[in-house]
Amino acid sequence: MSSYRSLRRNHDFGVLWVAQTVSEVGSRASLFVFPLVAYALTGSTGLAAAAEATYLLGLAGALLPAGPLVDRVDPRRVMRSASAAGALLYASLVAALLAHALTAPHLLLVALLTGAASGLFGPAEAKAVRAVVPAEDLPTALSQNQARLHLATLLSAPAGGLMYAAARWVPFAADAVSFAFSWVLLGRLRTDLTAPAGRSRRSPRQDLAEGLRFVWSRPLFRTLAVWGPLSNLTINALFFAAILRLINGGFDAVHIGLVEATAGAAGIVGAVLAPWVLDRVPTGWLTVAVAWAFLPLVAPMAVWNHPAVVAAALGTGMLLNPAGNTGMSSYRLARTPPELVGRVQASTQFLAMAALPLSPVLAGTLLSLLGGPAAIAVLGGCSGLVALIPTLSRHVRTVPRPSAWAAAEPAAVPAAA
C-alpha cells in the first residue's frame, strides 16, 4: 500500500482530509437535528421535512456557480470562506436558542445558506485535491474521502441525537466549532492553488458553458452524466421504499436506525478495501459490477420486511460502492484539464443530485399504488434497466486499472462552438 504511505507524507492532503472530516461529521449531525428542531418549534411535520429539503436546495443551487468561481480564484479562499460562513451561521442558531428567540424562518435560512456553503466547498476541495495529490495517488486519496463520508454517516445520527438530548443548541455549537477548526486548518495549506495568470476574463456563464460542453463532448463523461442521476434516483427510491415499509410494519426507530449504521460501517470497510480492489479489477468493469450490485438484493427485501434483511442488503450493496465511485471519480479528475476541474466537478455533482429529491416521491407513490413487495420489485426492475447504461457503453467498459491511466495526459478542452 505505497499510496497510503505516500499520502501520509502529503501534508496538504492531510490538512484537507482532517479539516473536511471534522466539518462533515458536524454538518451531518446538524442536518439530522434540523427536522427535530423544526418540529419542536412548529409542531409541523411539513416544516420538519422542509428544513432538510432547504439544506439540499441550497447545496444543489450553489454547485453550478461554484464551478466557474473555483476555476477563477484560489480554491483555498473559497473553502475558508465557506467554513467561516458555516461557523457564523451555526453560531447564530446557538445564540437564538440560548435566548429562546429562534424562529422557523431563521432556522430555514440557516439551512439554506449552510447548504450553499457546502455546495461551494465541494468543487473547491476537488480542485485542491487534484492540485496537491499526484495522479498515481488519486484513487487512494478519493477512497479515503469516501471513507470520510461513510464515517460521517455512521457517527452523525448517534452523535446528533446525544447532543440534542443534552440541549437543542449543543449540536449547532459543535458544528460551529467544527467549521471554525476547518477554517484554521485550511490556512495551513502550503501548495499554491491560485488560478494561472493570463486567463481570459469571460463571463461566469461562458465559463460554466465551457465546463458543460467539455462534459458532453467526452463520450465517457456523457454516459456517466446520464447514468449517475438515474442510478441515484432508482437506488435511493428502492431503499427509501424499504425504510417506509419498516415504519409501516411497526419497527421502532432504534432498529431502523441500525440499518443506516450498517450502511455506514459497510461503506467504511469498502473504502478501506477500495485501493486493493482498484489495483485488481479494471475500473470500467468495476463500474458495471457496482451498477448491478443491488439487483440480487431486491428479492429478499421484497419477500421479508425486516430491519435485518434491509440492513444486510444495504450493507452488501455498499461494499463495492466506494471502490466504484473512487475509480471513476479518479479517472475523471485525471482526464480533466486542471483549468476545468472546478466546473466539471460542479457540473457532474449537480447532475448526480438533480433527481435525488424525486426518490421519496417515487417510493411513496409506488408503495401506495402497488403495496410493499410489488413496489420493491418494480424499483428493482428499474435499477436493472438503469444498470444497462454503463454495461452497454464501450467507453465505460474499456477504462483500465489505474496503473494504466494515472500518468495519462488530461483530455484536450473542446473548442467553443
Side-chain angles (χ1 to χ4, degrees), residues 264-318:
I268 292 171
V269 173
V272 171
L273 295 176
W276 183 89
V277 174
L278 286 165
D279 282 344
R280 288 158 178 79
V281 182
T283 301
W285 284 109
L286 177 61
T287 302
V288 171
V290 169
W292 290 97
F294 288 99
L295 195 60
L297 310 172
V298 170
M301 286 198 300
V303 174
W304 294 291
N305 183 32
H306 193 277
V309 174
V310 179
L314 183 55
T316 302
M318 288 301 299

Side-chain angles (χ1 to χ4, degrees), residues 96-165:
L97 282 166
L98 289 174
H100 304 288
L102 181 63
T103 63
H106 182 181
L107 183 69
L108 293 176
L109 179 62
V110 170
L112 179 71
L113 295 178
T114 52
S118 295
L120 291 171
F121 193 101
E125 185 197 21
K127 190 171 181 71
V129 169
R130 177 72 170 80
V132 305
V133 175
E136 62 271 16
D137 290 339
L138 274 176
T140 304
L142 295 195
S143 71
Q144 291 195 33
N145 284 353
Q146 286 282 309
R148 176 185 74 202
L149 294 175
H150 293 293
L151 178 65
T153 299
L154 180 65
L155 297 179
S156 58
L162 287 173
M163 289 188 288
Y164 182 79

